[in-house]
Amino acid sequence: MTRTEPIVIPPVVVDALRNVMRQLVGDRDRLLDADADADADADARPQASGTSIPILLSAVQAGEVLGINETTVRQLWRDGDLKCVHIGRGRKVSTTEIQRYINDHEHFSPVP
Protein backbone atom coordinates (compact mmCIF):
# COMPACT_ATOMS: atom_id res chain seq x y z
CA MET A 1 0.00 0.00 0.00
CA THR A 2 1.53 3.29 -1.08
CA ARG A 3 0.44 6.75 -0.14
CA THR A 4 0.00 9.35 -2.83
CA GLU A 5 -0.43 12.35 -0.53
CA PRO A 6 2.02 13.35 2.22
CA ILE A 7 0.86 13.59 5.78
CA VAL A 8 0.73 17.25 6.75
CA ILE A 9 1.58 17.87 10.40
CA PRO A 10 0.84 21.39 11.69
CA PRO A 11 3.95 23.33 12.76
CA VAL A 12 2.62 23.64 16.33
CA VAL A 13 2.44 19.84 16.62
CA VAL A 14 5.91 19.43 15.13
CA ASP A 15 7.34 21.93 17.65
CA ALA A 16 5.61 20.14 20.53
CA LEU A 17 6.93 16.77 19.37
CA ARG A 18 10.43 18.18 18.99
CA ASN A 19 10.28 19.46 22.57
CA VAL A 20 9.15 16.03 23.78
CA MET A 21 11.95 14.33 21.86
CA ARG A 22 14.53 16.80 23.19
CA GLN A 23 13.32 16.03 26.71
CA LEU A 24 13.47 12.27 26.08
CA VAL A 25 16.95 12.43 24.56
CA GLY A 26 18.20 14.82 27.25
CA ASP A 27 16.94 12.59 30.07
CA ARG A 28 18.43 9.52 28.37
CA ASP A 29 21.79 11.28 28.00
CA ARG A 30 21.74 12.31 31.68
CA LEU A 31 20.97 8.72 32.68
CA LEU A 32 23.78 7.40 30.46
CA ASP A 33 26.19 9.97 31.89
CA ALA A 34 25.24 8.94 35.43
CA ASP A 35 25.88 5.27 34.53
CA ALA A 36 29.26 6.14 33.02
CA ASP A 37 30.22 8.10 36.14
CA ALA A 38 29.18 5.15 38.32
CA ASP A 39 31.35 2.80 36.26
CA ALA A 40 34.33 5.16 36.53
CA ASP A 41 34.00 5.48 40.30
CA ALA A 42 32.97 2.29 42.08
CA ASP A 43 31.72 4.28 45.10
CA ALA A 44 29.54 6.61 43.03
CA ARG A 45 25.87 5.73 42.89
CA PRO A 46 23.57 7.47 40.36
CA GLN A 47 20.59 9.12 41.96
CA ALA A 48 17.29 7.54 41.02
CA SER A 49 14.96 10.19 39.70
CA GLY A 50 11.88 8.01 40.16
CA THR A 51 11.19 8.01 36.44
CA SER A 52 13.09 6.35 33.66
CA ILE A 53 12.73 7.32 30.03
CA PRO A 54 12.46 4.28 27.76
CA ILE A 55 14.52 4.24 24.59
CA LEU A 56 12.06 1.79 23.00
CA LEU A 57 8.36 2.58 23.04
CA SER A 58 5.31 0.37 22.63
CA ALA A 59 2.62 1.17 20.07
CA VAL A 60 0.57 2.86 22.79
CA GLN A 61 3.50 5.01 23.96
CA ALA A 62 4.54 5.88 20.40
CA GLY A 63 0.96 6.84 19.62
CA GLU A 64 0.91 9.17 22.62
CA VAL A 65 4.16 10.83 21.51
CA LEU A 66 2.94 11.21 17.92
CA GLY A 67 -0.61 12.15 18.89
CA ILE A 68 -2.13 9.22 16.98
CA ASN A 69 -3.92 5.99 17.87
CA GLU A 70 -1.92 2.83 18.57
CA THR A 71 -3.74 1.17 15.64
CA THR A 72 -2.26 3.80 13.34
CA VAL A 73 1.23 3.10 14.75
CA ARG A 74 0.73 -0.61 14.03
CA GLN A 75 -0.42 0.24 10.48
CA LEU A 76 2.72 2.36 9.98
CA TRP A 77 4.76 -0.66 11.10
CA ARG A 78 2.94 -2.95 8.64
CA ASP A 79 3.38 -0.47 5.78
CA GLY A 80 7.08 -0.09 6.59
CA ASP A 81 6.74 3.65 7.15
CA LEU A 82 7.85 3.38 10.78
CA LYS A 83 10.59 0.86 11.56
CA CYS A 84 10.21 -1.33 14.61
CA VAL A 85 12.32 -3.65 16.73
CA HIS A 86 10.99 -7.17 17.28
CA ILE A 87 11.46 -8.34 20.85
CA GLY A 88 10.00 -11.79 21.37
CA ARG A 89 6.49 -11.63 19.95
CA GLY A 90 6.20 -7.91 20.55
CA ARG A 91 7.33 -4.83 18.67
CA LYS A 92 8.81 -1.56 19.88
CA VAL A 93 9.89 1.63 18.15
CA SER A 94 12.95 3.66 19.13
CA THR A 95 12.73 7.33 20.01
CA THR A 96 15.31 7.92 17.26
CA GLU A 97 13.00 6.30 14.68
CA ILE A 98 10.10 8.47 15.86
CA GLN A 99 12.26 11.56 15.37
CA ARG A 100 13.28 10.35 11.88
CA TYR A 101 9.65 9.79 10.96
CA ILE A 102 8.71 13.29 12.12
CA ASN A 103 11.59 14.87 10.20
CA ASP A 104 10.75 12.93 7.02
CA HIS A 105 7.05 13.82 7.13
CA GLU A 106 7.00 17.43 8.24
CA HIS A 107 5.61 19.75 5.59
CA PHE A 108 4.93 23.39 6.11
CA SER A 109 2.24 24.85 3.90
CA PRO A 110 1.87 28.61 3.69
CA VAL A 111 -1.34 29.87 5.25
CA PRO A 112 -3.55 31.47 2.57
Side-chain angles (χ1 to χ4, degrees), residues 29-112:
D29 290 343
R30 281 192 292 278
L31 290 172
L32 292 175
D33 288 344
D35 288 343
D37 291 342
D39 290 341
D41 182 8
D43 293 330
R45 298 286 181 254
Q47 298 295 319
S49 63
T51 61
S52 65
I53 305 300
I55 295 173
L56 295 176
L57 305 174
S58 67
V60 173
Q61 293 167 323
E64 289 172 359
V65 169
L66 291 169
I68 58 177
N69 191 288
E70 70 177 283
T71 305
T72 306
V73 172
R74 294 178 198 283
Q75 185 65 45
L76 290 170
W77 285 341
R78 279 191 295 274
D79 293 346
D81 293 332
L82 190 64
K83 297 175 188 171
C84 62
V85 176
H86 292 269
I87 300 176
R89 293 180 61 200
R91 292 182 286 186
K92 303 273 185 173
V93 61
S94 69
T95 53
T96 305
E97 174 62 10
I98 290 175
Q99 186 63 52
R100 184 210 55 85
Y101 180 80
I102 292 168
N103 291 338
D104 288 354
H105 290 86
E106 64 184 350
H107 290 50
F108 295 101
S109 301
V111 178

Side-chain angles (χ1 to χ4, degrees), residues 9-27:
I9 302 173
V12 173
V13 174
V14 171
D15 290 340
L17 291 171
R18 281 191 175 142
N19 288 335
V20 168
M21 293 305 297
R22 283 188 194 109
Q23 183 68 37
L24 288 172
V25 171
D27 288 348

